[in-house]
Amino acid sequence: MVRDVFDISGRVIAITGGLGQLGKQFSSELVRRKAKVVALDVTAPARTRLSNPWALHCDITSERSLRECLQKIRDRWGVPHGLINNAALDAPPNAPPADVAAFETYSAETWRRVIDVNLTGSFLACQVIGSAMAKERRGSIINISSIYGILSPDQRIYEYRERDGAPFKKPIAYSASKAGILNLSRYLATYWAKQGVRVNTLTFGGVENRQDPRFIEGYRARVPLDRMAAAHEYNGAVVFLLSEAASYMTGSNVVLDGGWSAW
């Protein structure tokens, strides 16, 4: 019988931000493929029923919180086979003014809050859960980045906000944090290679989610495929990197952006 290299059934997968827009998509697809999924999310209640996906309250900026969650996962299912660092703070087009201020007035407090979740949170999740995987000498870590981590944001697509009297700048902290994710992955890919832990980055373009039509129009103009992504379109890449189909792949950055970065 030929083995399906995309088979992830029975594997334990932890997803930070597992109750968010993309986290729910990933969880649903992985459960459908018979993986054991743990959604780690700060919005999850402290006590939840055992299910698949299993939601655990977790503050990824807290090493203690992560270690407590890891122990719960180990007690029930064992050390995870996969970790998806998906949790992040973003500044959508309808974000409050303080979160989307121009660089000259962007507050250090906001900078620290975004970096703490997006970059330090991923670092801590890798340190706690990834280290346990390395001791088992197997595993796959997927760190989620953004096109704004490899390219500067095109501020022109937000200019309609200025015309509405509500100026918007895609903030520096988001771009810096997502750029940092790339080298976090590369560093750990080489660091844990001999322990059998693969570490890769998925770099995503924007997902359509009932944004202002003017934003969608401006965004589409930058994309060769002439549209934003649907949330489910990233599931295949996630499954690929978690599976044996990607067994010789580590330290890589897979870009799914509809062609945005091609021109």
Side-chain angles (χ1 to χ4, degrees):
M1 181 177 178
V2 178
R3 184 171 175 273
D4 180 5
V5 294
F6 291 96
D7 181 17
I8 56 172
S9 59
R11 297 192 182 185
V12 181
I13 313 296
I15 308 174
T16 71
L19 299 183
Q21 182 188 12
L22 289 180
K24 288 179 180 178
Q25 283 288 331
F26 301 154
S27 295
S28 177
E29 178 63 19
L30 298 178
V31 168
R32 188 182 73 81
R33 291 176 177 268
K34 299 182 171 55
K36 298 173 181 176
V37 179
V38 187
L40 304 176
D41 203 294
V42 73
T43 66
R47 301 178 69 87
T48 57
R49 64 184 181 87
L50 298 181
S51 59
N52 191 17
W54 178 29
L56 282 180
H57 179 83
C58 187
D59 176 2
I60 62 168
T61 67
S62 164
E63 181 182 348
R64 178 179 177 180
S65 181
L66 281 160
R67 292 198 181 280
E68 289 174 350
C69 287
L70 174 60
Q71 189 58 55
K72 291 177 182 178
I73 298 168
R74 295 179 75 142
D75 291 344
R76 183 184 182 194
W77 281 332
V79 173
H81 299 82
L83 167 65
I84 305 173
N85 278 312
N86 168 70
L89 295 180
D90 192 5
N94 62 346
D99 291 348
V100 294
F103 176 78
E104 292 84 354
T105 56
Y106 192 73
S107 75
E109 179 183 355
T110 304
W111 165 275
R112 294 188 190 100
R113 178 165 51 87
V114 174
I115 296 294
D116 200 29
V117 173
N118 296 9
L119 189 54
T120 307
S122 295
F123 158 76
L124 288 173
C126 287
Q127 190 173 60
V128 172
I129 299 175
S131 294
M133 293 161 62
K135 288 179 181 177
E136 297 291 318
R137 304 190 72 81
R138 83 311 183 256
S140 173
I141 297 175
I142 302 173
N143 293 321
I144 306 298
S145 186
S146 162
I147 52 171
Y148 287 167
I150 61 173
L151 301 169
S152 179
D154 186 344
Q155 304 289 359
R156 293 172 298 181
I157 66 176
Y158 307 101
E159 288 178 350
Y160 71 91
R161 288 271 307 244
E162 184 88 37
R163 295 190 292 271
D164 287 349
F168 180 107
K169 297 294 183 185
K170 192 68 177 182
I172 181 67
Y174 183 76
S175 291
S177 68
K178 289 303 184 179
I181 288 292
L182 293 167
N183 251 27
L184 175 67
S185 295
R186 295 185 185 110
Y187 182 98
L188 293 177
T190 59
Y191 188 82
W192 278 331
K194 292 183 179 179
Q195 283 72 44
V197 178
R198 297 182 296 104
V199 188
N200 293 286
T201 302
L202 284 178
T203 291
F204 293 155
V207 177
E208 187 165 350
N209 186 30
R210 300 183 298 276
Q211 295 98 332
D212 189 297
R214 293 170 296 176
F215 168 77
I216 294 175
E217 180 182 2
Y219 191 97
R220 286 176 53 191
R222 290 286 288 107
V223 182
L225 288 184
D226 194 34
R227 62 181 178 84
M228 300 186 75
H232 68 84
E233 291 186 289
Y234 297 140
N235 291 342
V238 167
V239 172
F240 167 67
L241 288 178
L242 290 172
S243 73
E244 290 305 307
S247 60
Y248 196 58
M249 189 171 188
T250 195
S252 294
N253 178 31
V254 181
V255 181
L256 297 93
D257 64 356
W260 176 295
S261 57
W263 61 13

